Amino acid sequence: MLKQYRVRDYDFKLIILVMALTIIGIFAVGSADSSLQKTQMAGFIFGLFLMVVISLFDYSVLIKLYWLFYIANIILLLLVRTSLGVMVNGAQRWIILFGIQFQPSETAKILLILFYAQFIMKHKEKINSFGILTLCCLFILPSLILVYKQPNLSTTIVIAVMFCVIMFVGGISWKLVTGLLAVFIPAAVILFSIVIQPGQTLIKPYQQTRIFAWLYPEEYSTTEAYQQLNSIMAIGSGQLYGKGYNTNVISSVKNGNFISEPQTDFIFAVIGEEFGFIGTCAVIILVILITLECFHIASKAKDLAGSIIAAGMAGLIGFQGFLNIGVNTGLLPNTGVTLPFVSYGLTSLVSLYIGIGFVLNVGLQCKKFKG
């Protein structure tokens, strides 16, 4: 399981990028809520340790446990709906297991990537057959349904997009992709027109209201659009250089408690206000560079499984980052999704570092096998 690797093959660039983004997050979380900064630092150290350890284990051996990963994922998601589930702000997304509270929907992302890496690898010759495509879609459905029922629409969307990236890298034909897009785009437009109609039952009322708040922010400026408008105001008020770290300016949106939970969904607003345009650009560039580096490793992987692992992580980090920043800047409806490596949340942070550990191992092996 453990192999001899060369230090020069280690992707230190990816590690530096991830660490830099996490450190920015630690400072931002500390400014949003100083009581959480030490916990976030502990998550960073623990995640870094797990990343290094996992990066030294041969992923080809570990993903042979893919059915175990899949079953564990479904069990954890089902436990959310039992007495072990914890209700926070009207959503039951956490469980307490062995005295530890964590969010199974975050671990689901990594476990599903590992599952599909091996499953598609085993059936790569038949990936475009009706049977295998059907199985791939059926296997993702339980996770999507269970996460959506929490309710957690934003994470459901992230997992769905991540699945699309995995399937594309897995080798589905361009004809199929084109055909699906030809059906999906009109269907999405029709679906959107349906969910904004009164009396619709496809999405929950609060989700529909969030869409209305995005479309007509002025009408919801004191209710559902309140946080997004204040987030945009905070980012704009930071101007070029920001108001300074942990600013005590009375007019600060953060200090005035105009944004609830700024350490999670709206952490980007805190960065914009305190570090300005330069700080937000730094975060965006880091997210893009991490995504591109993962795709680069995927392109050099020794096998299809390695490509799926690295590309799956790239899709996850890139799309979730885009979703969070889009919400903070008003480009997208408020979905309540965290910013990878930046927002407060130990389950998310540690899970992402575990995923990066697998990507690093893919990178360690691809150069060796190409040499």
Side-chain angles (χ1 to χ4, degrees), residues 228 231-232 235 266 268 322 324-332:
Q228 267 191 301
S231 172
I232 296 168
I235 294 170
F266 287 93
F268 191 75
F322 165 75
N324 176 274
I325 294 169
V327 168
N328 276 254
T329 54
L331 293 175
L332 298 170

Side-chain angles (χ1 to χ4, degrees), residues 120-355:
I120 294 175
M121 177 79 171
K122 287 190 69 175
H123 301 93
K124 60 182 178 181
E125 303 299 331
K126 300 178 181 179
I127 187 61
N128 287 297
S129 68
F130 177 78
I132 297 301
L133 285 173
T134 302
L135 284 175
C136 287
C137 293
L138 288 175
F139 286 140
I140 198 69
L141 276 179
S143 297
L144 292 176
I145 293 170
L146 288 170
V147 173
Y148 178 77
K149 289 286 187 181
Q150 292 180 356
N152 195 343
L153 178 60
S154 56
T155 301
T156 306
I157 295 171
V158 170
I159 293 174
V161 171
M162 185 185 77
F163 172 70
C164 292
V165 172
I166 288 171
M167 293 302 294
F168 180 76
V169 175
I172 60 173
S173 69
W174 277 99
K175 289 182 180 179
L176 183 59
V177 172
T178 306
L180 288 173
L181 287 175
V183 173
F184 175 77
I185 294 174
V189 174
I190 294 170
L191 182 65
F192 184 79
S193 65
I194 292 173
V195 299
I196 61 175
Q197 297 300 318
Q200 62 81 36
T201 56
L202 291 176
I203 60 175
K204 296 183 181 299
Y206 82 90
Q207 293 168 338
Q208 185 189 48
T209 306
R210 284 184 176 182
I211 294 175
F212 286 142
W214 172 62
L215 292 172
Y216 315 106
E218 297 82 8
E219 296 179 20
Y220 293 84
S221 59
T222 59
T223 53
E224 278 75 11
Y226 183 73
Q227 289 207 81
Q228 267 191 301
L229 290 174
N230 285 329
S231 172
I232 296 168
M233 187 192 306
I235 294 170
S237 69
Q239 300 184 33
L240 183 61
Y241 298 106
K243 297 176 180 176
Y245 174 63
N246 206 9
T247 178
N248 57 4
V249 176
I250 298 174
S251 60
S252 166
V253 175
K254 179 204 69 178
N255 293 338
N257 293 320
F258 295 115
I259 299 176
S260 62
E261 306 293 333
Q263 72 276 11
T264 53
D265 302 346
F266 287 93
I267 195 72
F268 191 75
V270 175
I271 294 170
E273 184 175 60
E274 299 193 346
F275 300 107
F277 179 74
I278 292 175
T280 56
C281 283
V283 170
I284 293 170
I285 290 169
L286 284 170
V287 171
I288 292 172
L289 289 177
I290 291 169
T291 302
L292 292 177
E293 188 64 20
C294 288
F295 274 129
H296 177 63
I297 291 173
S299 69
K300 302 188 302 174
K302 70 172 185 178
D303 56 22
L304 182 58
S307 294
I308 290 173
I309 290 172
M313 285 301 298
L316 167 60
I317 294 166
F319 180 72
Q320 188 166 320
F322 165 75
L323 207 58
N324 176 274
I325 294 169
V327 168
N328 276 254
T329 54
L331 293 175
L332 298 170
N334 190 353
T335 56
V337 68
T338 56
L339 184 56
F341 298 108
V342 180
S343 296
Y344 176 75
L346 297 189
T347 312
S348 173
L349 186 60
V350 173
S351 296
L352 287 168
Y353 268 99
I354 289 172

